Amino acid sequence: MKNKILLLSLCCLSLASVKAQVILDHAASKNSFSIVSPSAKVVVCFDGKDETVVRKSVSLFVEDVHRVTGQVLRTEENNLGNSPERYAIIVGTIGQSSWIKTLAARNKIDTTAIAGGWERYQIEVVNNPVPGIKKAIVVAGSDRRGAAYGLLSISKAIGVSPWYWWADAPIKQQKRLDVKVNKFVSKEPSVKFRGIFINDEDWGLYQWSKRNFEKERGNFGPRTYAKVCELLLRLQANYLCPAMHDASMAFHRIPENRLVADSFAIAMGSSHCEPLLFNTASEWKRDQMGEWDYINNKEGVNKILNSRVKECAPFENVYTLALRGLHDRAMNASNDMSDRKQMLQEALMAQRQMLIDATGKQGKDIPQAFTPYKEVLDVYDEGLDLPDDVTIIWPDDNYGYMKRLSSPKEQKRSGRSGVYYHASYLGKPHDHLWMNTTSPTLMYEELRKAYDMTADRIWLLNAGDIKGCEFAVDFFLTMAQDIDSFNFERAANYRTEWMCGMLGDQYRSEFQDVTNAFYKLSFARRPEFMGWGYQWATDKHGKERNTDTDFSFANYREADTRLDEYRRIGDIVEKILHALPEENQKACFYQSLYYPVKGSELLNRMILYGQKNRWYATQQRAATGQLEKMTKACYDSLQVITKDYNELLGGKWNHMMTMKQGFAASYFDLPALRKATLAPTASLGILAEGEDVLKGLKSYHSLPSFNTYLRQSYFVDVFNKGTTPLKWEASVTDNWILVSKKAGETTTEERIEVSIDWNKVPTGEKVFGVLDIASAGGEKERVYISVFNPTSPSLAEMDTLFVEHNGYVSIDAANFHRKVENTAIKIIEIPNLGVENTAIQLGDPVAAPQRTAGRSTPRVEYDFYTFEQGSVDVYTYVLPTFVLSKDRGYAGHEATNVETKYGVCIDEGPVMNPSTSSFEYVQIWYESVLKNCRINKTTLHIDKPGKHTVKVICGDAGTVLQKIVLDFGGMQRSYLGPQPTRNKPHSASNK
C-alpha cells in the first residue's frame, strides 16, 4: 500500500479535480499535522453551547481516534487560550460557536464563503489560532450538520469507515496519526434532504432488534435508531423515515427516539402513507379512535394528527401530507375519482393548517412532501390543487424505473420535487427482499434523469432492513450528496470503490471482475425471481408457484453459461474469504460481497439443477439422481452460509439474515425433484445441442448448422440410461468433422464438442456429414451435421458484419457500425447494463423528443448480411422506461404523447415506432420489470439477400437499447436470445 492513502476524495475514479481535504500521512513528514504522536496528542475544542450534534460528533471523533490508536483525546468546551496542549482540532458552527466567532474576529479564518449555506463546511490549518495553541485544524460549519460532517470527514480520513459498525469495516491500528490538510470548502449537497426509509416487516431488522440488539425492549427502540442515525450522519445524510409496519414499535410511541434523532441532527419524516409522522399501521386504535375513515370519521382522524404535530413541532421534520388506507392500502372511499380528489384535497389542506398552527411558521417555511404513490397518482392526475411549496416526491415503479417526473409546468413549482426509490420491495408481481441487486448504472441513469428534472429537494431510498442493502444505501446517498461527481463509468465501478474503501486495494481487480459479472447476471434475473412464479396472481392461491425457468439448457448454452459464470465468481469470493488474514476483514467481506455473490450462485445452481433434474428425468438419464443430490446440496449450503452470516463476530447479526422474507414467495424452497427409471444394464442415449423439444418434432438427431463466418462448435451429450457403466465409441463420415472425444466409459454422461476443420471441409451451402455413436451393447445413434460454407461472399467481405446464422441475426447494441448525432442528442454508452452488459442510450433523457421519420434524426446503425428475403421479425430489447411526465405538451400531427417511442427500420424502409413504456400492473409490465427488459417485435421486409442495415432511431430521448435480434424463422426458444453473430477476421487456422 502506498505511503499516502487518499480518502474523502473521489479516489482514482473521481470526476472532480478538487484536492482531498484530509490526507492520512504514514510518513509523518515535515508538513504533517499530528493528531496522536509518541510525545503528544491534540485536544478537541468546541463550544458546549453549540448545537447538540457538534458535541455528539466530537464524542464520535474521540471514539474514532481511540479505535485507531488506542489513545483518548481530551476535549475542551469553553476555555479559549487556556489549553495545555499546543495542538488542537477546533470545531464549531458559525453563529453558535464562541471558538469560531473568536477565530473569525481575529482574522484567523474567513467563513464568508459558507456563511448562510446549507450543510457546508470548511477545513484548514491555522497557526497560532488562540494564545497557547501553536497550530490547529479548524472545522467551521455553516450549520449544525455542516460542522458535524466536517469533523467526521476527518474520521473517515484516518481510516474509520461510515460502515465500521453496520458492515464491520475493519479499522487499521496505528501508533501515531499524522495528516496533511489542504484547505477545503465543501459545496452544498446536490439534494437538500437525503435519507432512507426502513421498510421493515416481520423479519430482518425487526427480528434482530427484538431478539438480539434490544432484547430488553423486545422491539425497535432508541439503541437501534441511534445506530441508524449515526450511520446517516457519517454518510452525510440528514433524513430518516422510520420503520412503519405493525410488527415494529412505532417511532413516536417512544419519545426518547425523537431525542436520539435530534442529537444526530437527523430530520425525521414518514413514509408516503403516514400523514404528519403518524404511523397508521400500528398507532391507529380502532376501539379507541373509531374507523380510519376520512368521510365518516374526519374529526377523529384530524384530532389524532393534530396531536402528533404538536408533539413533534419542536424538532426538525419533513412532514408527509397523505391520506391512504391502513397498512399501505388505498383509502376506503367513493369509486368516483372526483369525489376521491375532493376528499384528498380537504385532508391535505387540513393537515397543512395543523402544521402552520403548531409550528408558528408560514407554510412555505415548513418542509412538506407529497408522494403520489400507486392509486394516489390517479387522484393527483384528476387535478389535485397541491400548494406550490410542497415537494412532490415521485416514486419509481418499485423495480427501479421512475414512473413519472415533473412536467415543464411542475418544474416551476417552488417546492420542486424528489424521488422515492426502491432497493427493496414486497408486492406484485414479485418481492425483491433478500438482497439488493439493482444495477448501479440503472440507478444512476434513472436518478440523474430525475435530478435534472428538479428532483433535488428530497431523495428517499426504501432500504428494507438496511442489511442486505448496504451498498445501495451508500451509493444512493453519495449520489445525493454530489451527483455531479458521478458518470456512468464511476457508477459501474462504485461497488469496487466502496469495497476498497473498507478493505483496501489488494483485491481491487477481483472486486471489479466479480461485481461486473454479479450485476450482469442479476440484471438478467434477480435471485428472488428465479422461482419464475408470480405472487397474489389469484385469490385462490396467492403464494408463488415455482416452475421451470426460461433459461434454456438446449439452446445457445444459455443455462450452462449462467451456471459457469456464477460458479466462476463464487470461486473467486471463496478464495478471497479464505485468504483474508483477520476475523474482522472476513466478517466485512462476508457481508458486503461474499454472501450476496455466494448466495446468488447457490440459489441459481439449486433452481437450474432442479430444472435440469426434471428435464433429465424425462430422458431417463442416469445422471438424474446425481442432479437431485447436487440440488439438495445447494439448498443445504444456502442454509449454512445464512447461518454463518448470523453467527459472524460472536452472533452480532444473529436473526438478521434470512432467505425467507415475505409470506408469498417460495423461490427459496427446495425445487421439485424427480427420479428416472433406469434400465438394468447400460443403455445409450443421445442429445444434440438445439434439441429443445424432445418428442414429436423429429425422429432423428441433428446439430444446428455450422457457419463458416462464425466457426463455432456444438455439443452432443452421450448419456447412460442404465445402471451399469456405458462404453461408447464415436466415428465420423468425413475427416473435416472434429470431435473432442472418440470413445469413453461413463456411469452417467459425457459431452462431445463437435467442430469443423475449415481447411478441409468442402465448399458449398449444403455440406453434409454424419457423426455415429455406438455402445458396446450394440446400440447405435446417428447425428446429422450440416455445414454452411459458401464460396461467396468471402470472409473478408463479411468482415465485422453481423451475419445470418441458423435463421437469425443477433446484435449487441454497443457494437454499432455508425452513429448519427446532433447538438441535442448524443449516443451514450452505458457499461455494466443490459443483457449483453453494455447498453446504448439515445440521448440525454431530458432532451426534446425527436421525429423518428426525419432524414437526419439521431440513430445507431448496424450492418448485417442475410441470405434471405421477405418478412423478418425484428426484436428490440430496451429498458422498460416510462413517459417522463403526463403533460408533454402538444404531440403534433398524427402523433401521441401517451407512450414513449423510438424508431426501427431496415435500410430506407418504413419506420415503425415501438415503445419502452407500459401501464403498471398489466402483463407486459410484469414481464418487463422481472427481466429488466421490454422486448418489442416489429415485422419488417427485406427485398433481397445481401448486405442491409437495421437502424434504431431516437424518438423519446433517453431510450436505452440493449440488443437486437432479427428472426428469419430460425430463432429458438430462450430467455436472453442468441449470442451476437458478428463476423470477425479469421486466420488460416482450423478454428
Side-chain angles (χ1 to χ4, degrees), residues 299-350:
E299 185 176 337
V301 170
N302 285 343
K303 178 182 178 181
I304 294 298
L305 296 182
N306 195 39
S307 175
R308 174 53 45 82
V309 170
K310 290 178 179 178
E311 293 172 352
C312 297
F315 301 92
E316 185 180 10
N317 303 296
V318 176
Y319 295 94
T320 297
L321 304 182
L323 189 68
R324 290 195 79 208
L326 300 179
H327 304 287
D328 199 10
R329 295 192 177 102
M331 172 64 85
N332 290 328
S334 167
N335 288 329
D336 183 275
M337 288 298 291
S338 179
D339 291 344
R340 280 187 170 270
K341 183 199 74 171
Q342 186 59 39
M343 178 185 70
L344 182 59
Q345 185 83 60
E346 186 177 348
L348 298 188
M349 292 303 100

Side-chain angles (χ1 to χ4, degrees), residues 292-430:
W292 179 256
D293 183 337
Y294 204 73
I295 294 176
N296 299 307
N297 190 20
K298 182 189 308 180
E299 185 176 337
V301 170
N302 285 343
K303 178 182 178 181
I304 294 298
L305 296 182
N306 195 39
S307 175
R308 174 53 45 82
V309 170
K310 290 178 179 178
E311 293 172 352
C312 297
F315 301 92
E316 185 180 10
N317 303 296
V318 176
Y319 295 94
T320 297
L321 304 182
L323 189 68
R324 290 195 79 208
L326 300 179
H327 304 287
D328 199 10
R329 295 192 177 102
M331 172 64 85
N332 290 328
S334 167
N335 288 329
D336 183 275
M337 288 298 291
S338 179
D339 291 344
R340 280 187 170 270
K341 183 199 74 171
Q342 186 59 39
M343 178 185 70
L344 182 59
Q345 185 83 60
E346 186 177 348
L348 298 188
M349 292 303 100
Q351 293 170 22
R352 182 176 172 85
Q353 191 59 49
M354 293 176 203
L355 292 174
I356 293 169
D357 293 342
T359 63
K361 300 177 181 178
Q362 297 183 52
K364 66 182 180 64
D365 297 325
I366 306 169
Q368 298 160 76
F370 171 74
T371 304
Y373 184 67
K374 291 190 175 179
E375 82 289 339
V376 179
L377 179 59
D378 297 330
V379 181
Y380 172 78
D381 285 342
E382 186 70 12
L384 187 74
D385 185 15
L386 191 68
D388 191 67
D389 52 72
V390 174
T391 299
I392 302 175
I393 300 184
W394 298 112
D396 69 340
D397 65 349
N398 307 309
Y399 295 90
Y401 300 94
M402 296 306 301
K403 287 173 56 179
R404 177 81 65 80
L405 293 169
S406 294
S407 67
K409 181 179 179 181
E410 288 162 335
Q411 290 178 37
K412 298 176 182 177
R413 302 177 72 260
S414 62
R416 296 175 73 82
S417 66
V419 295
Y420 172 45
Y421 201 81
H422 286 76
S424 175
Y425 177 66
L426 186 152
K428 289 182 179 182
H430 199 289

Side-chain angles (χ1 to χ4, degrees), residues 426-583:
L426 186 152
K428 289 182 179 182
H430 199 289
D431 311 337
H432 53 100
L433 300 163
W434 182 27
M435 63 182 73
N436 176 258
T437 54
T438 303
S439 161
T441 45
L442 174 65
M443 288 180 67
Y444 173 73
E445 185 272 332
E446 290 293 293
L447 292 167
R448 177 80 226 197
K449 171 170 70 178
Y451 178 83
D452 289 340
M453 297 183 71
T454 71
D456 59 5
R457 286 297 173 87
I458 301 172
W459 276 24
L460 180 65
L461 181 73
N462 184 324
D465 296 304
I466 300 177
K467 296 299 291 178
C469 289
E470 298 99 324
F471 168 73
V473 168
D474 190 291
F475 180 53
F476 181 88
L477 294 176
T478 303
M479 282 195 294
Q481 176 67 25
D482 187 2
I483 189 73
D484 290 330
S485 72
F486 281 86
N487 63 4
F488 281 118
E489 183 180 2
R490 189 184 182 209
N493 297 331
Y494 189 73
R495 188 153 188 162
T496 298
E497 183 181 329
W498 181 66
M499 292 293 300
C500 291
M502 294 190 294
L503 290 167
D505 285 346
Q506 180 180 359
Y507 294 105
R508 177 178 287 275
S509 62
E510 288 88 347
F511 291 161
Q512 187 61 38
D513 178 19
V514 168
T515 56
N516 182 283
F518 174 74
Y519 282 117
K520 179 180 185 291
L521 292 163
S522 54
F523 180 84
R525 197 77 177 188
R526 292 181 190 264
E528 295 96 331
F529 301 164
M530 283 298 294
W532 237 259
Y534 289 83
Q535 297 171 313
W536 304 286
T538 68
D539 292 340
K540 185 184 298 183
H541 198 303
K543 191 172 183 180
E544 174 186 16
R545 286 166 282 182
N546 295 347
T547 68
D548 285 354
T549 76
D550 288 347
F551 289 107
S552 176
F553 281 100
N555 299 318
Y556 315 127
R557 306 199 184 193
E558 187 175 56
D560 288 331
T561 299
R562 185 173 179 85
L563 286 168
D564 290 346
E565 188 68 348
Y566 263 126
R567 173 82 77 172
R568 185 184 73 82
I569 63 174
D571 287 346
I572 293 173
V573 296
E574 196 79 56
K575 289 176 183 176
I576 295 174
L577 181 69
H578 292 307
L580 289 170
E582 300 176 12
E583 183 185 12

